[in-house]
PDB file of all heavy atoms in Angstrom:
ATOM      1  N   HIS A 990       1.034  -6.151  -0.253  1.00 98.00           N
ATOM      2  CA  HIS A 990       1.444  -5.193  -1.282  1.00 98.00           C
ATOM      3  C   HIS A 990       2.960  -5.093  -1.391  1.00 98.00           C
ATOM      4  O   HIS A 990       3.485  -4.762  -2.461  1.00 98.00           O
ATOM      5  CB  HIS A 990       0.796  -3.842  -0.989  1.00 98.00           C
ATOM      6  CG  HIS A 990      -0.699  -3.914  -1.018  1.00 98.00           C
ATOM      7  ND1 HIS A 990      -1.409  -3.993  -2.188  1.00 98.00           N
ATOM      8  CD2 HIS A 990      -1.613  -3.983  -0.009  1.00 98.00           C
ATOM      9  CE1 HIS A 990      -2.702  -4.081  -1.911  1.00 98.00           C
ATOM     10  NE2 HIS A 990      -2.848  -4.088  -0.596  1.00 98.00           N
ATOM     11  N   TYR A 991       3.653  -5.399  -0.319  1.00 98.00           N
ATOM     12  CA  TYR A 991       5.112  -5.465  -0.373  1.00 98.00           C
ATOM     13  C   TYR A 991       5.548  -6.654  -1.233  1.00 98.00           C
ATOM     14  O   TYR A 991       6.506  -6.567  -2.000  1.00 98.00           O
ATOM     15  CB  TYR A 991       5.682  -5.597   1.036  1.00 98.00           C
ATOM     16  CG  TYR A 991       7.195  -5.722   1.073  1.00 98.00           C
ATOM     17  CD1 TYR A 991       8.011  -4.601   0.998  1.00 98.00           C
ATOM     18  CD2 TYR A 991       7.805  -6.979   1.176  1.00 98.00           C
ATOM     19  CE1 TYR A 991       9.393  -4.713   1.015  1.00 98.00           C
ATOM     20  CE2 TYR A 991       9.189  -7.103   1.193  1.00 98.00           C
ATOM     21  CZ  TYR A 991       9.975  -5.963   1.123  1.00 98.00           C
ATOM     22  OH  TYR A 991      11.341  -6.086   1.128  1.00 98.00           O
ATOM     23  N   GLU A 992       4.844  -7.761  -1.107  1.00 98.00           N
ATOM     24  CA  GLU A 992       5.232  -8.975  -1.824  1.00 98.00           C
ATOM     25  C   GLU A 992       4.649  -9.067  -3.231  1.00 98.00           C
ATOM     26  O   GLU A 992       5.183  -9.812  -4.059  1.00 98.00           O
ATOM     27  CB  GLU A 992       4.806 -10.208  -1.018  1.00 98.00           C
ATOM     28  CG  GLU A 992       5.551 -10.358   0.297  1.00 98.00           C
ATOM     29  CD  GLU A 992       5.136 -11.600   1.071  1.00 98.00           C
ATOM     30  OE1 GLU A 992       4.350 -12.403   0.532  1.00 98.00           O
ATOM     31  OE2 GLU A 992       5.593 -11.760   2.224  1.00 98.00           O
ATOM     32  N   SER A 993       3.563  -8.342  -3.505  1.00 98.00           N
ATOM     33  CA  SER A 993       2.936  -8.505  -4.827  1.00 98.00           C
ATOM     34  C   SER A 993       2.810  -7.187  -5.593  1.00 98.00           C
ATOM     35  O   SER A 993       3.404  -7.025  -6.662  1.00 98.00           O
ATOM     36  CB  SER A 993       1.565  -9.185  -4.691  1.00 98.00           C
ATOM     37  OG  SER A 993       0.634  -8.363  -4.028  1.00 98.00           O
ATOM     38  N   THR A 994       2.097  -6.219  -5.076  1.00 98.00           N
ATOM     39  CA  THR A 994       1.815  -4.995  -5.830  1.00 98.00           C
ATOM     40  C   THR A 994       3.071  -4.207  -6.148  1.00 98.00           C
ATOM     41  O   THR A 994       3.276  -3.774  -7.294  1.00 98.00           O
ATOM     42  CB  THR A 994       0.832  -4.105  -5.051  1.00 98.00           C
ATOM     43  OG1 THR A 994      -0.200  -4.908  -4.480  1.00 98.00           O
ATOM     44  CG2 THR A 994       0.221  -3.055  -5.957  1.00 98.00           C
ATOM     45  N   GLY A 995       3.918  -3.996  -5.140  1.00 98.00           N
ATOM     46  CA  GLY A 995       5.147  -3.245  -5.358  1.00 98.00           C
ATOM     47  C   GLY A 995       6.035  -3.863  -6.422  1.00 98.00           C
ATOM     48  O   GLY A 995       6.446  -3.177  -7.381  1.00 98.00           O
ATOM     49  N   PRO A 996       6.361  -5.158  -6.308  1.00 98.00           N
ATOM     50  CA  PRO A 996       7.180  -5.786  -7.348  1.00 98.00           C
ATOM     51  C   PRO A 996       6.558  -5.724  -8.744  1.00 98.00           C
ATOM     52  O   PRO A 996       7.279  -5.578  -9.735  1.00 98.00           O
ATOM     53  CB  PRO A 996       7.307  -7.234  -6.850  1.00 98.00           C
ATOM     54  CG  PRO A 996       7.162  -7.136  -5.371  1.00 98.00           C
ATOM     55  CD  PRO A 996       6.167  -6.039  -5.140  1.00 98.00           C
ATOM     56  N   GLU A 997       5.235  -5.836  -8.816  1.00 98.00           N
ATOM     57  CA  GLU A 997       4.584  -5.770 -10.129  1.00 98.00           C
ATOM     58  C   GLU A 997       4.760  -4.386 -10.758  1.00 98.00           C
ATOM     59  O   GLU A 997       5.023  -4.259 -11.960  1.00 98.00           O
ATOM     60  CB  GLU A 997       3.092  -6.095  -9.989  1.00 98.00           C
ATOM     61  CG  GLU A 997       2.812  -7.547  -9.643  1.00 98.00           C
ATOM     62  CD  GLU A 997       1.360  -7.787  -9.259  1.00 98.00           C
ATOM     63  OE1 GLU A 997       0.488  -7.007  -9.706  1.00 98.00           O
ATOM     64  OE2 GLU A 997       1.090  -8.742  -8.507  1.00 98.00           O
ATOM     65  N   ILE A 998       4.617  -3.331  -9.957  1.00 98.00           N
ATOM     66  CA  ILE A 998       4.786  -1.967 -10.465  1.00 98.00           C
ATOM     67  C   ILE A 998       6.223  -1.753 -10.924  1.00 98.00           C
ATOM     68  O   ILE A 998       6.475  -1.190 -11.997  1.00 98.00           O
ATOM     69  CB  ILE A 998       4.393  -0.939  -9.379  1.00 98.00           C
ATOM     70  CG1 ILE A 998       2.875  -0.982  -9.145  1.00 98.00           C
ATOM     71  CG2 ILE A 998       4.832   0.474  -9.772  1.00 98.00           C
ATOM     72  CD1 ILE A 998       2.414  -0.187  -7.934  1.00 98.00           C
ATOM     73  N   TRP A 999       7.177  -2.190 -10.132  1.00 98.00           N
ATOM     74  CA  TRP A 999       8.594  -2.043 -10.472  1.00 98.00           C
ATOM     75  C   TRP A 999       8.909  -2.772 -11.783  1.00 98.00           C
ATOM     76  O   TRP A 999       9.570  -2.236 -12.674  1.00 98.00           O
ATOM     77  CB  TRP A 999       9.434  -2.580  -9.321  1.00 98.00           C
ATOM     78  CG  TRP A 999      10.917  -2.368  -9.439  1.00 98.00           C
ATOM     79  CD1 TRP A 999      11.871  -3.334  -9.588  1.00 98.00           C
ATOM     80  CD2 TRP A 999      11.614  -1.119  -9.394  1.00 98.00           C
ATOM     81  NE1 TRP A 999      13.125  -2.772  -9.636  1.00 98.00           N
ATOM     82  CE2 TRP A 999      12.994  -1.412  -9.520  1.00 98.00           C
ATOM     83  CE3 TRP A 999      11.223   0.201  -9.255  1.00 98.00           C
ATOM     84  CZ2 TRP A 999      13.983  -0.424  -9.520  1.00 98.00           C
ATOM     85  CZ3 TRP A 999      12.194   1.193  -9.255  1.00 98.00           C
ATOM     86  CH2 TRP A 999      13.544   0.879  -9.380  1.00 98.00           C
ATOM     87  N   ARG A1000       8.391  -3.985 -11.908  1.00 98.00           N
ATOM     88  CA  ARG A1000       8.618  -4.782 -13.114  1.00 98.00           C
ATOM     89  C   ARG A1000       7.963  -4.153 -14.342  1.00 98.00           C
ATOM     90  O   ARG A1000       8.599  -4.020 -15.400  1.00 98.00           O
ATOM     91  CB  ARG A1000       8.053  -6.184 -12.881  1.00 98.00           C
ATOM     92  CG  ARG A1000       8.131  -7.131 -14.072  1.00 98.00           C
ATOM     93  CD  ARG A1000       7.208  -8.338 -13.823  1.00 98.00           C
ATOM     94  NE  ARG A1000       5.797  -7.967 -13.874  1.00 98.00           N
ATOM     95  CZ  ARG A1000       4.819  -8.689 -13.317  1.00 98.00           C
ATOM     96  NH1 ARG A1000       5.089  -9.800 -12.663  1.00 98.00           N
ATOM     97  NH2 ARG A1000       3.564  -8.285 -13.429  1.00 98.00           N
ATOM     98  N   ASP A1001       6.709  -3.740 -14.209  1.00 98.00           N
ATOM     99  CA  ASP A1001       5.936  -3.314 -15.370  1.00 98.00           C
ATOM    100  C   ASP A1001       6.250  -1.890 -15.825  1.00 98.00           C
ATOM    101  O   ASP A1001       5.812  -1.483 -16.907  1.00 98.00           O
ATOM    102  CB  ASP A1001       4.445  -3.472 -15.089  1.00 98.00           C
ATOM    103  CG  ASP A1001       4.038  -4.939 -14.954  1.00 98.00           C
ATOM    104  OD1 ASP A1001       4.815  -5.817 -15.384  1.00 98.00           O
ATOM    105  OD2 ASP A1001       2.948  -5.202 -14.401  1.00 98.00           O
ATOM    106  N   THR A1002       6.981  -1.129 -15.019  1.00 98.00           N
ATOM    107  CA  THR A1002       7.465   0.184 -15.465  1.00 98.00           C
ATOM    108  C   THR A1002       8.927   0.110 -15.888  1.00 98.00           C
ATOM    109  O   THR A1002       9.565   1.155 -16.098  1.00 98.00           O
ATOM    110  CB  THR A1002       7.321   1.238 -14.353  1.00 98.00           C
ATOM    111  OG1 THR A1002       8.054   0.808 -13.192  1.00 98.00           O
ATOM    112  CG2 THR A1002       5.864   1.470 -13.979  1.00 98.00           C
ATOM    113  N   ASP A1003       9.453  -1.093 -16.015  1.00 98.00           N
ATOM    114  CA  ASP A1003      10.874  -1.287 -16.350  1.00 98.00           C
ATOM    115  C   ASP A1003      11.780  -0.525 -15.390  1.00 98.00           C
ATOM    116  O   ASP A1003      12.786   0.057 -15.801  1.00 98.00           O
ATOM    117  CB  ASP A1003      11.153  -0.860 -17.797  1.00 98.00           C
ATOM    118  CG  ASP A1003      10.451  -1.755 -18.811  1.00 98.00           C
ATOM    119  OD1 ASP A1003      10.335  -2.977 -18.545  1.00 98.00           O
ATOM    120  OD2 ASP A1003      10.016  -1.240 -19.845  1.00 98.00           O
ATOM    121  N   LYS A1004      11.402  -0.521 -14.116  1.00 98.00           N
ATOM    122  CA  LYS A1004      12.170   0.109 -13.035  1.00 98.00           C
ATOM    123  C   LYS A1004      12.287   1.628 -13.202  1.00 98.00           C
ATOM    124  O   LYS A1004      13.189   2.249 -12.646  1.00 98.00           O
ATOM    125  CB  LYS A1004      13.569  -0.506 -12.944  1.00 98.00           C
ATOM    126  CG  LYS A1004      13.585  -2.027 -12.825  1.00 98.00           C
ATOM    127  CD  LYS A1004      14.987  -2.585 -12.785  1.00 98.00           C
ATOM    128  CE  LYS A1004      14.983  -4.108 -12.721  1.00 98.00           C
ATOM    129  NZ  LYS A1004      16.341  -4.671 -12.691  1.00 98.00           N
ATOM    130  N   LYS A1005      11.327   2.230 -13.928  1.00 97.00           N
ATOM    131  CA  LYS A1005      11.417   3.661 -14.234  1.00 97.00           C
ATOM    132  C   LYS A1005      10.340   4.491 -13.546  1.00 97.00           C
ATOM    133  O   LYS A1005      10.128   5.650 -13.904  1.00 97.00           O
ATOM    134  CB  LYS A1005      11.350   3.870 -15.748  1.00 97.00           C
ATOM    135  CG  LYS A1005      12.537   3.254 -16.490  1.00 97.00           C
ATOM    136  CD  LYS A1005      12.369   3.378 -17.997  1.00 97.00           C
ATOM    137  CE  LYS A1005      13.527   2.699 -18.736  1.00 97.00           C
ATOM    138  NZ  LYS A1005      13.350   2.726 -20.199  1.00 97.00           N
TER     139      LYS A1005
END
Side-chain angles (χ1 to χ4, degrees):
H990 299 285
Y991 178 82
E992 294 181 6
S993 67
T994 318
E997 291 169 26
I998 291 170
W999 186 246
R1000 177 195 70 201
D1001 293 343
T1002 58
D1003 294 325
K1004 307 178 182 180
K1005 296 175 183 176

